[in-house]
Amino acid sequence: MSVLIPEHIRSIVPYVPGTPIEQAEREVGVGQVVKLASNENPLGPSPRAIEAIHQAAGRVHRYPDACGLVLREALAARLGIPVGQIVLGNGSTEIVELLAKTLLPGGRGAVVATQSFIMYRIAVQSMGASIREVPLVHHRHDLSAMAAACGTGTAIVYIGNPNNPTGTYVSRAELDDFLTRLPESLLVVLDEAYRDYVEAPDYPDGLEDLRRGRNVAVLRTFSKIHGLAGLRIGYAALPVELAAAVERVRSPFNTSVVGQVAALAALGDGDHVRRSREENSRERTFLMGEIADRKLAFIPSVTNFLLVETDMDAQDLYIRLLRQGVIVRPMGSYGFPRGVRVSVGTHPENLRFLAALDGALTPDGRTP
């Protein structure tokens, strides 16, 4: 072709999403497929959100409020920060990209952890910016090494807290120490997509750092515990000047009419969040116990997923499970060649996974 595609774009390894249920049913001819690949809420969305979606359906011929003011005001009231510090995104993933677009031109670069959410790396690469990757230690961010990796040209450090795909977190003391080591001009992106599942008392709330004037961007989403992954809506809490800069590069109408009203309704449904958290806590404990009983390796998680490692190639195990109607996520691309990430489902879904796992690990890959 005559169009010259830059090498930094050619070098990007695209993000591979979890296999959709419909695709799995077509490809393997199995009905009632269980999807445990994308860390979704198995209880679904809030009933209030569903009702709001129905009521908004008749308004989808109109453009949404381009800045989502009503939702942003509700978030500001909930979080205790000015509305001017909140930016909405097409999922929090878009904000990962918007921050790179805003801060990385001009030869500046970023620091990320290896085996962290791959979209951090893609966002940096898409800008043609330099990237330094720091290995995890004991499946956790090595904050000391990440601080040491920051040079004069570093503009962003991305930290998933909790981290995807390991399900681990950094503590308040660790984060405090890390932030004191960095120059004030450097932005720390705290991706808190899974924070609502964390029960650890020393887990830090990034909003505390933002209120203290620290140079952090706190990313959150309605895709996980709120069950609105299909509507693609998330948000960031940012220093006010950075929020204004991100708004300059954000696409207009990046969140939909339906997404905004559903998120607003979900925000007010504390009962649904509480049920989802309690169900996840109970089933996560159950899954970890069952996997431990099978003498399989896994990383203890504070989230709604587990990284499980076996003696089998991850892609082979994924295919064997898929043939039995269970979708998981092979983690070879994240540096775990024998690891699969398994979302915590409902109890029947988790039982289905365990039965399929037992079958997949037999010599012929079939349920005993």
Side-chain angles (χ1 to χ4, degrees), residues 100-157:
K101 188 176 180 180
T102 303
L103 296 178
L104 293 184
R108 292 180 289 183
V111 171
V112 303
T114 57
Q115 299 173 308
S116 62
F117 186 35
I118 201 169
M119 284 306 302
Y120 308 149
R121 188 179 309 110
I122 290 176
V124 177
Q125 286 182 278
S126 70
M127 296 302 300
S130 64
I131 183 168
R132 299 191 68 178
E133 297 189 45
V134 178
L136 301 180
V137 173
H138 303 304
H139 306 301
R140 301 173 67 249
H141 283 74
D142 184 349
L143 295 186
S144 293
M146 292 183 78
C150 295
T152 55
T154 304
I156 303 176
V157 178

Side-chain angles (χ1 to χ4, degrees), residues 63-222:
Y63 284 105
D65 175 359
C67 67
L69 182 59
V70 174
L71 176 57
R72 288 171 59 233
E73 287 177 338
L75 285 167
R78 172 68 63 89
L79 304 178
I81 60 176
V83 69
Q85 290 187 254
I86 296 175
V87 174
L88 300 182
N90 188 249
S92 57
T93 302
E94 185 193 23
I95 304 174
V96 168
E97 298 172 311
L98 287 173
L99 290 168
K101 188 176 180 180
T102 303
L103 296 178
L104 293 184
R108 292 180 289 183
V111 171
V112 303
T114 57
Q115 299 173 308
S116 62
F117 186 35
I118 201 169
M119 284 306 302
Y120 308 149
R121 188 179 309 110
I122 290 176
V124 177
Q125 286 182 278
S126 70
M127 296 302 300
S130 64
I131 183 168
R132 299 191 68 178
E133 297 189 45
V134 178
L136 301 180
V137 173
H138 303 304
H139 306 301
R140 301 173 67 249
H141 283 74
D142 184 349
L143 295 186
S144 293
M146 292 183 78
C150 295
T152 55
T154 304
I156 303 176
V157 178
Y158 289 100
I159 297 175
N161 200 31
N163 184 49
N164 173 19
T166 60
T168 55
Y169 74 100
V170 298
S171 70
R172 165 49 67 192
E174 291 169 324
L175 183 60
D176 282 342
D177 179 68
F178 173 70
L179 292 174
T180 61
R181 298 185 182 200
L182 302 177
E184 293 182 359
S185 60
L186 189 153
L187 179 73
V188 177
V189 178
L190 298 174
D191 185 352
E192 297 183 352
Y194 299 96
R195 68 162 286 106
D196 296 293
Y197 294 107
V198 182
E199 299 170 332
D202 60 345
Y203 174 75
D205 181 348
L207 288 175
E208 295 178 5
D209 301 288
L210 182 66
R211 295 188 193 103
R212 292 169 60 183
R214 288 173 161 171
N215 207 19
V216 299
V218 182
L219 276 53
R220 296 184 180 177
T221 183
F222 288 93

Side-chain angles (χ1 to χ4, degrees), residues 169-341:
Y169 74 100
V170 298
S171 70
R172 165 49 67 192
E174 291 169 324
L175 183 60
D176 282 342
D177 179 68
F178 173 70
L179 292 174
T180 61
R181 298 185 182 200
L182 302 177
E184 293 182 359
S185 60
L186 189 153
L187 179 73
V188 177
V189 178
L190 298 174
D191 185 352
E192 297 183 352
Y194 299 96
R195 68 162 286 106
D196 296 293
Y197 294 107
V198 182
E199 299 170 332
D202 60 345
Y203 174 75
D205 181 348
L207 288 175
E208 295 178 5
D209 301 288
L210 182 66
R211 295 188 193 103
R212 292 169 60 183
R214 288 173 161 171
N215 207 19
V216 299
V218 182
L219 276 53
R220 296 184 180 177
T221 183
F222 288 93
S223 295
K224 303 305 176 184
I225 205 164
H226 293 290
L228 300 180
L231 292 181
R232 309 307 304 127
I233 187 159
Y235 62 96
L238 311 167
V240 64
E241 290 185 5
L242 178 58
V246 171
E247 288 287 2
R248 293 187 181 98
V249 301
R250 177 182 63 83
S251 240
F253 313 117
N254 63 328
T255 59
S256 69
V257 169
V258 175
Q260 289 181 26
V261 299
L264 183 64
L267 191 66
D269 194 347
D271 289 340
H272 182 70
V273 170
R274 187 161 43 253
R275 284 193 303 271
S276 299
R277 183 184 297 114
E278 290 172 354
E279 171 86 358
N280 181 78
S281 179
R282 180 169 56 250
E283 289 303 313
R284 179 180 61 203
T285 300
F286 168 74
L287 265 184
M288 288 194 293
E290 289 292 316
I291 293 169
D293 288 346
R294 288 163 170 78
K295 311 301 182 185
L296 297 175
F298 68 94
I299 301 173
S301 171
V302 297
T303 63
N304 66 335
F305 58 84
L306 295 176
L307 185 63
V308 182
E309 295 189 277
T310 72
D311 292 331
M312 186 179 296
D313 176 80
Q315 189 67 24
D316 290 345
L317 179 56
Y318 158 77
I319 292 171
R320 287 188 174 203
L321 290 170
L322 184 62
R323 287 172 179 162
Q324 298 180 72
V326 176
I327 309 171
V328 298
R329 191 73 170 273
M331 288 284 105
S333 61
Y334 279 82
F336 296 99
R338 299 185 183 279
V340 294
R341 194 188 66 199

